[in-house]
């Protein structure tokens, strides 16, 4: 569209200018945010460094001053004065032991006594190879200050131990009453500085202590010790070597470079060489007036750099959000105009499409209605077919049961004939006993008649139980009880057959009682028929449980199943019996029943001779009313 209907667009020169200004604005915003974050982080780090520096300096002073009184205390001991008055004629061992005891109690490095000429007369390290005894320390300032009557202070490396330490000294007076009296000896105590440095190592900073000559004699990093904070001239180096304050240490430069001096007195430094070369630091110094030392703290700038990057990223993100919001707003304006134009165009199109859609919906609805009617008719027809199939299957199962009853008829006829003949004999005897007035004998014969009629009732009950129909409901069924029922049906045919039972306790499965009994009756009947010509027939019944499944086995010692028939024995109407001996439906119906129960049935041959049928069904828990169920199953039998 043209004219007022066209969506608003920026002129091309203005769009090019925006494309140029947006990246420049992003860079400017990120740079300014990074600088502000850097300054704030440095100010916070300076405050933190000042606090840590103040606490560290106070800790160092406290560590040193707590030993300030010890030289004076030892110089006033009577044993020390008696030893000096003897001029070396006394045994120094008691004094050595006393000084060693003081060293251990005060936790200092060494305690030793010098004569008026600076030679060591007694020392706490008398027993060591680098003992001070016999060495002259008149060149040390702590001796010179004390021999003049004052209290000496000195720090440096020991000439014998080469350990850094701080020395306290005090004069020992034998006679201080005369005006021109001079001390007769000097008592010296050496304190090591390692414990203080070990506490510094726990801080997130590097600490150093320099003397008036800018020599780093204490540091949290061992690599920085005995180094010059700034390079020394040859004259300065020779002067320091002459004092022997730091023995023969080379006093190499620390390679500390200052690249920014800040208004608050702090400095930004880096090391050009050494172990700290990979990091930049904020440096802050504090002067210790009591010792004429300077303590320096170096705080890593990693946190500052991280704050810079974070601030720059946040500023860039906010800038991008504002730019994106502006772009989204402009785009929404354009989209709004485009939607209005699109809605105007589509309004007419939708009206036409709606009319067309209504016509199509009407046609499709008519087609769907016809299709649904056909589907409903087909579903109803299939439902009726399934009902007929289920009814036919039930009738087929019942027919198979009646066929089994036909096979059992001969044995049952024999079972009934025997009691009938006995009943007749007992009845005739009873009449004879009654004529002779032998009532007790007649009553005994009648009792036998009652017992035989009960036996015949049990036989007819077994037949009625076997011929009944199932209600198709699955419950917990006792497998041993089903076996007992099946064996009772064949008790006449089992008289010359060995029956072996393999189970230790009662096992329950989820099945239908009537249908499971029918399957077992069918399998046992087939096994008995297969062993008809076997010299030593043996029927083995087994029950095994494994991972929630129950395996029920029926094994015979007959000739077995031909290998070619194993894959077909469960097919309907397949039989190896002679014509008229069976329809070939028993195993097919049994397989269908077990499948409906959620199980499986298999057949295989044993090595040598015999066939085995195995039924697998889900195991069930023993029901709470197991006693009632057992009574019911016994009544079925």
């Amino acid at each position: 569209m043209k004219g007022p209907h066209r969506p608003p667009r920026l002129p091309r020169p203005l769009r090019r200018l925006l494309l140029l200004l947006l990246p420049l604005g992003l860079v400017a915003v990120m740079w300014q945010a990074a600088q502000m974050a850097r300054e704030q982080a440095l100010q916070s780090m300076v405050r933190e460094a000042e606090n840590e520096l103040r606490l560290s300096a106070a800790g160092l002073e406290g560590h040193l001053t707590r030993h300030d009184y010890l030289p004076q205390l030892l110089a006033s001991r009577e044993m020390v004065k008696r030893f000096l008055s003897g001029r070396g004629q006394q045994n120094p061992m008691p004094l050595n032991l006393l000084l060693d005891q003081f060293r251990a109690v005060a936790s200092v490095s060494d305690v030793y006594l010098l004569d008026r000429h600076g030679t060591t007369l007694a020392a706490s390290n008398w027993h060591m190879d680098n003992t001070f005894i016999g060495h002259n320390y008149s060149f040390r300032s702590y001796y010179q200050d004390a021999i003049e009557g004052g209290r000496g202070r000195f720090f440096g490396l020991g000439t014998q131990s080469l350990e850094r330490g701080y020395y306290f000294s005090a004069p020992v007076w034998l006679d201080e009453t005369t005006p021109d009296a001079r001390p007769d000896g000097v008592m010296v105590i050496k304190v090591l500085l390692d414990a203080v440095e070990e506490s510094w190592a726990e801080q997130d900073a590097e600490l150093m202590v320099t003397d008036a000559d800018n020599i780093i004699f204490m540091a949290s990093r061992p690599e920085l010790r005995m180094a010059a904070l700034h390079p020394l001239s040859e004259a300065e180096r020779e002067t320091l070597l002459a004092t022997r304050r730091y023995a023969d240490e080379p006093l190499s430069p620390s390679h500390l470079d200052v690249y920014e001096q800040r208004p608050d007195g702090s400095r930004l430094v880096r090391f050009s060489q050494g172990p700290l070369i990979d990091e930049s630091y904020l440096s802050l110094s504090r002067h210790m007036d009591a010792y004429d030392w300077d303590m320096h703290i170096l705080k890593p700038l990693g946190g500052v750099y991280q704050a810079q990057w974070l601030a720059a990223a946040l500023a860039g993100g906010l800038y991008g959000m504002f730019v994106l919001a502006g772009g989204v707003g402009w785009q929404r304006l354009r989209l709004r105009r485009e939607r209005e134009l699109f809605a105007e165009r589509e309004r007419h199109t939708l009206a036409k499409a709606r009319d067309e859609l209504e016509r199509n919906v009407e046609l499709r609805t008519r087609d769907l209605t016809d299709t649904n009617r056909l589907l409903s008719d087909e579903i109803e027809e299939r439902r009726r077919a399934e009902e007929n199939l289920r009814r036919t299957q039930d009738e087929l199962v019942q027919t198979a049961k009646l066929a089994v009853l036909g096979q059992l008829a001969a044995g049952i006829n024999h079972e009934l004939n025997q009691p009938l003949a006995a009943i007749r004999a007992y009845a005739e005897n009873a009449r004879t006993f009654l004529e002779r007035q032998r009532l007790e004998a007649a009553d005994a014969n009648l009792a036998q008649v009652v017992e035989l009629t009960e036996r015949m009732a049990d036989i007819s009950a077994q037949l009625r139980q076997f011929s009944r129909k199932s209600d198709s409901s699955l419950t917990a069924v006792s497998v041993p009880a089903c076996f007992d029922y099946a064996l009772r049906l064949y008790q006449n045919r089992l008289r010359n057959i060995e029956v072996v039972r393999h189970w230790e306790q009662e096992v329950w499965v989820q099945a239908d009682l009537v249908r499971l009994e029918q399957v077992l009756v069918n399998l046992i009947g087939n096994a008995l028929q297969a062993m008809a010509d076997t010299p030593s027939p043996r029927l083995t019944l087994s029950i095994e449980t494994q991972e929630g499944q129950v395996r029920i086995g029926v094994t015979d010692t007959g000739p077995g199943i031909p290998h070619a028939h194993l894959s077909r024995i469960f097919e309907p109407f397949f039989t190896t019996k002679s014509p008229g001996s069976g329809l070939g439906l028993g195993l097919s119906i049994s397989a269908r029943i077990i499948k409906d129960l959620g199980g499986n049935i298999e057949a295989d041959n044993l090595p040598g001779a015999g066939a085995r049928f195995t039924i697998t069904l889900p195991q069930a828990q023993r029901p709470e009313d197991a006693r009632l169920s057992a009574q019911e199953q016994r009544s079925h039998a």
Side-chain angles (χ1 to χ4, degrees):
M1 292 187 176
K2 300 181 180 180
H5 300 289
R6 183 177 181 179
R9 288 177 63 91
L10 291 176
R12 180 173 295 178
L14 184 57
R15 294 202 303 270
R16 292 179 177 176
L17 181 61
L18 282 176
L19 292 177
L20 178 63
L21 291 179
L22 287 177
L24 293 178
L26 176 62
V27 173
V29 168
M30 294 180 67
W31 182 84
Q32 185 64 28
Q35 292 301 313
M36 293 177 61
R38 178 179 184 270
E39 188 61 29
Q40 292 178 357
L42 286 175
Q43 291 176 3
S44 175
M45 186 173 288
V46 166
R47 291 192 296 269
E48 183 180 348
E50 287 177 347
N51 292 332
E52 294 183 11
L53 194 60
R54 182 173 60 254
L55 292 175
S56 299
L60 177 58
E61 291 180 3
H63 179 75
L64 295 177
T65 54
R66 69 178 181 176
H67 304 293
D68 183 65
Y69 70 96
L70 287 177
Q72 188 66 34
L73 176 64
L74 288 173
S76 63
R77 297 281 296 191
E78 189 63 29
M79 179 182 290
V80 175
K81 293 182 178 182
R82 284 200 310 269
F83 184 79
L84 282 177
S85 64
R87 303 299 181 182
Q89 297 177 1
Q90 298 183 21
N91 183 10
M93 188 55 64
L95 183 57
N96 290 336
L97 295 175
L98 175 65
L99 297 182
D100 190 28
Q101 181 180 2
F102 265 89
R103 177 202 61 76
V105 173
S107 297
V108 296
S109 176
D110 299 291
V111 183
Y112 51 101
L113 175 65
L114 307 179
D115 63 10
R116 65 176 59 187
H117 303 293
T119 301
T120 306
L121 300 178
S124 60
N125 62 353
W126 54 271
H127 56 288
M128 297 183 181
D129 295 336
N130 57 349
T131 180
F132 299 159
I133 296 177
H135 292 276
N136 189 278
Y137 297 102
S138 59
F139 63 91
R140 292 294 198 190
S141 62
Y142 61 78
Y143 164 79
Q144 297 168 7
D145 294 338
I147 205 65
E148 293 297 328
R151 302 175 67 178
R153 301 288 185 275
F154 178 78
F155 64 92
L157 287 179
T159 57
Q160 298 298 318
S161 63
L162 296 180
E163 292 180 334
R164 295 168 300 119
Y166 195 83
Y167 298 82
F168 297 92
S169 63
V172 181
W173 301 87
L174 296 180
D175 182 13
E176 54 183 335
T177 57
T178 59
D180 58 345
R182 286 177 58 82
D184 291 272
V186 175
M187 182 63 66
V188 185
I189 291 180
K190 180 181 179 181
V191 180
L192 296 181
L193 306 174
D194 296 341
V196 179
E197 290 174 327
E198 290 176 359
S199 65
W200 291 350
E202 300 175 357
Q203 301 185 29
D204 186 20
E206 305 294 340
L207 289 170
M208 304 183 301
V209 178
T210 59
D211 61 6
D213 298 314
N214 284 327
I215 302 300
I216 305 173
F217 67 90
M218 293 183 66
S220 56
R221 284 289 186 107
E223 299 88 346
L224 297 176
R225 298 168 191 165
M226 297 296 105
L229 189 63
H230 306 295
L232 299 176
S233 64
E234 274 306 316
E236 292 173 336
R237 188 181 303 276
E238 292 297 332
T239 302
L240 286 173
L241 290 176
T243 62
R244 301 202 64 191
R245 178 186 296 272
Y246 300 113
D248 298 327
E249 290 291 332
L251 303 180
S252 303
S254 64
H255 304 287
L256 181 71
D257 298 330
V258 180
Y259 65 88
E260 183 178 341
Q261 187 73 42
R262 293 177 49 78
D264 55 7
S266 61
R267 299 176 299 173
L268 302 184
V269 301
R270 65 170 65 94
F271 289 86
S272 59
Q273 296 182 22
L276 305 180
I277 189 174
D278 296 329
E279 186 72 80
S280 298
Y281 297 90
L282 171 73
S283 175
L284 201 64
S285 303
R286 179 184 180 89
H287 187 69
M288 301 175 66
D289 296 328
Y291 304 96
D292 195 20
W293 293 344
D294 288 314
M295 178 172 279
H296 310 269
I297 187 170
L298 303 179
K299 298 283 288 185
L301 294 179
V304 176
Y305 297 147
Q306 185 177 2
Q308 282 184 275
W309 284 108
L310 181 60
L314 290 176
L318 290 176
Y319 179 83
M321 290 177 61
F322 281 118
V323 172
L324 181 62
V328 169
W330 175 256
Q331 190 68 17
R332 285 175 62 87
L333 178 61
R334 295 190 70 242
L335 290 175
R336 181 179 176 184
R337 293 294 304 273
E338 290 180 358
R339 282 198 298 268
E340 291 175 355
L341 297 176
F342 178 77
E344 185 68 24
R345 291 194 303 268
E346 293 298 319
R347 191 174 294 113
H348 302 288
T349 304
L350 288 176
K352 295 171 61 177
R354 183 174 58 252
D355 297 338
E356 184 68 21
L357 180 61
E358 288 179 354
R359 288 193 297 271
N360 291 336
V361 168
E362 183 178 358
L363 293 175
R364 291 296 297 163
T365 302
R366 188 180 304 114
D367 293 341
L368 288 174
T369 302
D370 296 339
T371 303
N372 287 336
R373 187 181 303 108
L374 292 176
L375 286 175
S376 299
D377 295 341
E378 184 177 352
I379 291 172
E380 181 63 23
E381 183 179 355
R382 177 164 295 185
R383 186 185 61 79
R384 289 195 299 269
E386 288 180 353
E387 289 182 356
N388 291 333
L389 178 62
R390 191 161 43 247
R391 189 181 306 108
T392 302
Q393 181 181 356
D394 293 340
E395 292 176 355
L396 187 60
V397 171
Q398 192 67 17
T399 301
K401 294 170 67 174
L402 294 178
V404 174
L405 285 177
Q407 297 175 7
L408 297 174
I412 294 173
N413 182 39
H414 179 71
E415 289 291 327
L416 292 178
N417 284 335
Q418 285 182 343
L420 285 174
I423 289 173
R424 180 176 179 178
Y426 283 123
E428 291 177 352
N429 291 338
R431 291 179 61 184
T432 303
F433 289 139
L434 289 174
E435 291 175 355
R436 299 177 181 178
Q437 298 297 318
R438 295 176 62 184
L439 299 181
E440 293 182 359
D443 182 69
N445 279 268
L446 292 175
Q448 293 293 331
V449 171
V450 172
E451 182 180 350
L452 290 173
T453 56
E454 290 178 353
R455 179 180 174 186
M456 295 175 66
D458 290 340
I459 294 173
S460 62
Q462 292 178 13
L463 296 177
R464 288 195 304 273
Q465 174 69 13
F466 182 70
S467 61
R468 74 192 186 282
K469 291 187 178 181
S470 170
D471 59 0
S472 300
S473 61
L474 300 184
T475 59
V477 176
S478 173
V479 180
C482 291
F483 269 137
D484 292 342
Y485 167 75
L487 292 175
R488 290 192 192 95
L489 285 179
Y490 292 106
Q491 60 183 350
N492 185 47
R493 297 172 60 183
L494 291 173
R495 292 177 179 176
N496 298 322
I497 295 177
E498 179 186 0
V499 179
V500 180
R501 295 174 175 85
H502 283 310
W503 62 81
E504 296 181 355
Q505 58 185 1
E506 192 169 13
V507 180
W508 300 75
V509 294
Q510 193 73 16
D512 175 58
L513 175 64
V514 175
R515 289 193 285 175
L516 181 58
E517 288 176 347
Q518 178 183 347
V519 172
L520 295 180
V521 167
N522 191 15
L523 294 180
I524 293 175
N526 289 345
L528 296 178
Q529 188 172 0
M531 294 187 296
D533 299 328
T534 302
S536 300
R538 183 174 65 252
L539 177 66
T540 303
L541 308 177
S542 62
I543 304 174
E544 299 178 0
T545 58
Q546 183 179 6
E547 297 180 356
Q549 298 290 322
V550 178
R551 295 174 59 86
I552 306 170
V554 178
T555 307
D556 60 63
T557 57
I561 304 171
H563 183 73
H565 297 164
L566 274 176
S567 60
R568 300 187 58 194
I569 59 174
F570 294 111
E571 295 179 2
F573 303 106
F574 177 80
T575 179
T576 59
K577 301 176 182 179
S578 59
S581 300
L583 299 177
L585 295 175
L587 290 179
S588 175
I589 294 174
S590 299
R592 183 55 183 263
I593 290 174
I594 295 301
K595 184 177 180 181
D596 291 343
L597 296 178
N600 184 37
I601 182 170
E602 299 175 347
D604 61 339
N605 288 319
L606 297 178
R612 175 175 57 197
F613 287 83
T614 304
I615 301 172
T616 304
L617 289 173
Q619 186 174 5
Q621 297 293 330
R622 179 185 180 91
E624 296 180 359
D625 54 347
R627 181 179 302 175
L628 297 178
S629 298
Q631 293 176 357
E632 180 183 357
Q633 293 175 22
R634 285 196 297 270
S635 67
H636 293 336

